[in-house]
Amino acid sequence: MYLLRLKHLVKYLLGTLQYCWCFYYQENPGVLVVGISDSDWAEDPRTRKSVSSGYITWGRHVLEHFCSGQQVVALSSGEAELYACGKCAAHVLFLVFLFREIGYKLMRGQITTDSSAARGMLQRAGPGRVRHLHTRWLWVQERVPKKALQVAAVPGAENGADLGTKVLDGKRTKALCEKVGLAPSPAGTTVSCLS
């Protein structure tokens, strides 16, 4: 298993050696900071813990990204997705408060996921029928009715956060890299793509 992961990592690094973060010119992207999250479910064969992955954008620019193991064992894929959304919500709210602190008073946050179960859990109060949910993650539910966070859907095929959760083939990896602003640097240079 570990040899397979190492092989995948080496292939990825060789295939994306000339990639860089691209920050193309954009008009004022408005007041919405968007977090896109995804999760695998119990992929670690030893601990059965899931992985949370996501990235935060303002317009077309990726401001932050994360990929980390979850602290608890999720007993369903929807629960794992909810924990990923909670981590993403914390990152989004931090950036919203940072923007407000420097003068962008109208900034709002949005959590985007491809999981309908997670969206359902975020938009209600309490655990509902999910009996094994760690309730400390329900703080996100309080922010949705107060309009501090919006909840939105993204098709699974277009979810760039998928990069941090699964082993993907080369074609899909490159397509999702473009989605999150990673692209080959111009003329093979190692400088950031700014235009």
Side-chain angles (χ1 to χ4, degrees):
M1 178 64 145
Y2 294 110
L3 191 59
L4 180 67
R5 288 182 179 176
L6 180 62
K7 192 175 178 183
H8 174 70
L9 175 65
V10 170
K11 280 180 165 180
Y12 170 76
L13 291 174
L14 289 174
T16 58
L17 198 57
Q18 297 299 324
Y19 274 49
C20 67
W21 289 108
C22 296
F23 295 96
Y24 300 107
Y25 175 79
Q26 64 179 357
E27 298 293 335
N28 186 340
V31 296
L32 204 58
V33 176
V34 179
I36 297 100
S37 71
D38 196 21
S39 170
D40 67 358
W41 179 40
E43 287 291 321
D44 189 314
R46 188 174 56 83
T47 66
R48 289 299 169 201
K49 289 186 178 178
S50 306
V51 171
S52 297
S53 174
Y55 61 102
I56 318 300
T57 64
W58 187 36
R60 297 187 327 171
H61 295 168
V62 174
L63 303 179
E64 186 181 358
H65 58 88
F66 63 88
C67 182
S68 63
Q70 294 181 357
Q71 299 167 343
V72 296
V73 176
L75 300 182
S76 70
S77 60
E79 184 184 351
E81 294 280 358
L82 177 69
Y83 298 152
C85 287
K87 182 167 182 61
C88 190
H91 287 264
V92 166
L93 288 175
F94 169 76
L95 288 170
V96 166
F97 296 146
L98 184 64
F99 272 114
R100 288 179 182 171
E101 194 66 31
I102 61 174
Y104 290 83
K105 299 295 183 192
L106 300 175
M107 295 303 285
R108 296 186 325 267
Q110 177 178 297
I111 301 300
T112 309
T113 179
D114 57 6
S115 169
S116 58
R119 288 193 305 274
M121 284 186 256
L122 287 172
Q123 293 174 319
R124 68 174 177 238
R129 292 188 207 166
V130 185
R131 297 292 175 223
H132 44 79
L133 190 66
H134 284 253
T135 54
R136 67 188 175 120
W137 291 94
L138 297 181
W139 66 269
V140 184
Q141 290 180 343
E142 297 174 0
R143 303 311 193 279
V144 175
K146 292 178 180 175
K147 308 293 184 193
L149 283 173
Q150 300 172 3
V151 178
V154 63
E158 297 177 20
N159 191 345
D162 216 14
L163 283 169
T165 61
K166 300 176 189 70
V167 175
L168 304 169
D169 62 40
K171 185 177 177 183
R172 179 146 168 74
T173 299
K174 287 187 178 181
L176 291 180
C177 280
E178 289 177 20
K179 194 85 155 140
V180 301
L182 281 169
S185 57
T189 62
T190 56
V191 297
S192 298
C193 306
L194 297 170
S195 58

